Structures are given as structure tokens and as C-alpha cells.
Amino acid sequence: MSPNYIRSFSEGCLRPPTVIGQFHTLFFGSIRMFFLGVLGFAVYGNEALHFSCDPDKREVNLFCYNQFRPITPQVFWALQLVIVLVPGAFFHLYAACKSIKQEDILKKSSYTGFYIFSVFLRIVLEVVAFWLQIQLFGFKVNAIYMCDVGALDKKFNITRCMVPEHFEKTIFLIAMYTFTVITVILCVAEIFEISCRRLGFLKTQ
């Protein structure tokens, strides 16, 4: 791929053709990633080390932590951010290969339809991620986790485990839910903005 294609691709990703799309990029790229990268590490970075069960044995702690966290929240949210970026990245790669200028995307119906489809796909992926987050993490992190260790030790089946910094993790969960809702609202608003521009209610950039 030539340098011109790379430049067009990067400019398209950083400067979408809509005002709301540009705000979404700013919100998504800076606030959300900063929140996850910096605060997420501070809250969840040492969770496995401080997760303790009764009896406090390494194999019991490890077994119960894997049961408590089938996937760590940082990994899940990082995958969510990457996957949600894919539809827009594909569109802007297509636009770069076809030498489509950003200001021309909303002028031709085929380009506009393709772009709207990429935004709609982002909405679908965010909603799916929202549902998966509920299934994996719920809305609250309890201080005590009851672990089923029957497969590890026949002497007892259920043991109590202490979850470190459970209140901070609950706040972080709510924040990530809120970010998902905000990005979905921005995507819906972007489709509305595109529709208004196509109908002539707003001036096309």
C-alpha cells in the first residue's frame, strides 16, 4: 500500500465525514481508551495476587480465581474496543483504496450507504458487547465469592473467597457500561446527522 493510501486511511479514521463522528472518535480514542488503559490497570492490575480463599492455598486461590474470572475485564474491554473499531477501519481502508475524499462520502448514495452500514455494525457490536459484559460480570462485584471446588478437593465443595477492592470494581463496571451506552447514542446520532444532511436539513461539509 502506497504512502498516499496510508495517509488517506489514517486521516479517514481520525477525521470522519460527520461532526458527531469526529466527536465519537475523540471520545472513543482518548477518554475511553485512557480510562481503560490507566484506571483499568490500577483497579484490576493486581487482582489475581490479592484474591484469597479459605483455605488460603495457592492451588485453591488459582482455581477459584479462574472460576471467578473466565476472562479478565481488561482483556474483554480491550477486545471490545478493537472489534468495534473494525467496521470503521474497513470502510476507511476501502475509501483510501478508491481514493474517496471524506467530503465526498455524504454526496454519493453508495458511499453514504456503505458508511451508514459501518456505523450500524458498530452499534450491533457495542450492543453484543454490552450483553456479554452483563453475562460475564453483572452490575456489581460482591466482596465474597462462593467458589465450587468440588473438582479440586473432595473434602469440601464450596469455599469462601475474598474479592479485593470490590467497591472500586463495581464503580468501574458501571463506568464501562456508561461508555458503551454513550458510544451507541453517538452512533445513532451520527446516522441521524447523515440522514439530515442527505435530506438537506443540514449543510454538507
Side-chain angles (χ1 to χ4, degrees), residues 68-134:
F68 175 65
R69 293 288 191 212
I71 180 173
T72 59
Q74 306 102 302
V75 172
F76 175 83
W77 289 320
L79 286 173
Q80 176 186 355
L81 293 181
V82 171
I83 291 172
V84 169
L85 285 174
V86 169
F90 269 118
F91 173 83
H92 293 300
L93 181 62
Y94 167 80
C97 292
K98 294 291 185 179
S99 300
I100 303 171
K101 297 181 180 179
Q102 291 297 305
E103 55 269 20
D104 295 334
I105 291 175
L106 302 184
K107 295 179 181 179
K108 191 172 181 179
S109 298
S110 58
Y111 299 158
T112 304
F114 191 7
Y115 184 76
I116 289 177
F117 177 75
S118 71
V119 176
F120 179 77
L121 193 54
R122 288 207 309 260
I123 295 174
V124 172
L125 292 173
E126 288 280 16
V127 170
V128 171
F130 189 91
W131 179 81
L132 286 175
Q133 183 176 335
I134 294 174

Side-chain angles (χ1 to χ4, degrees), residues 129-157:
F130 189 91
W131 179 81
L132 286 175
Q133 183 176 335
I134 294 174
Q135 302 303 310
L136 290 170
F137 311 124
F139 289 95
K140 181 181 180 181
V141 179
N142 296 316
I144 303 296
Y145 174 71
M146 304 306 294
C147 176
D148 182 3
V149 292
L152 185 65
D153 194 332
K154 301 298 182 182
K155 295 180 180 179
F156 52 91
N157 292 326

Side-chain angles (χ1 to χ4, degrees), residues 154-168:
K154 301 298 182 182
K155 295 180 180 179
F156 52 91
N157 292 326
I158 303 296
T159 187
R160 291 161 54 93
C161 299
M162 300 292 295
V163 180
E165 302 170 342
H166 63 96
F167 184 68
E168 291 182 10

Side-chain angles (χ1 to χ4, degrees), residues 192-202 204:
F192 180 75
E193 179 187 346
I194 294 171
S195 301
C196 289
R197 291 186 184 280
R198 292 291 298 178
L199 295 173
F201 295 117
L202 292 174
T204 303

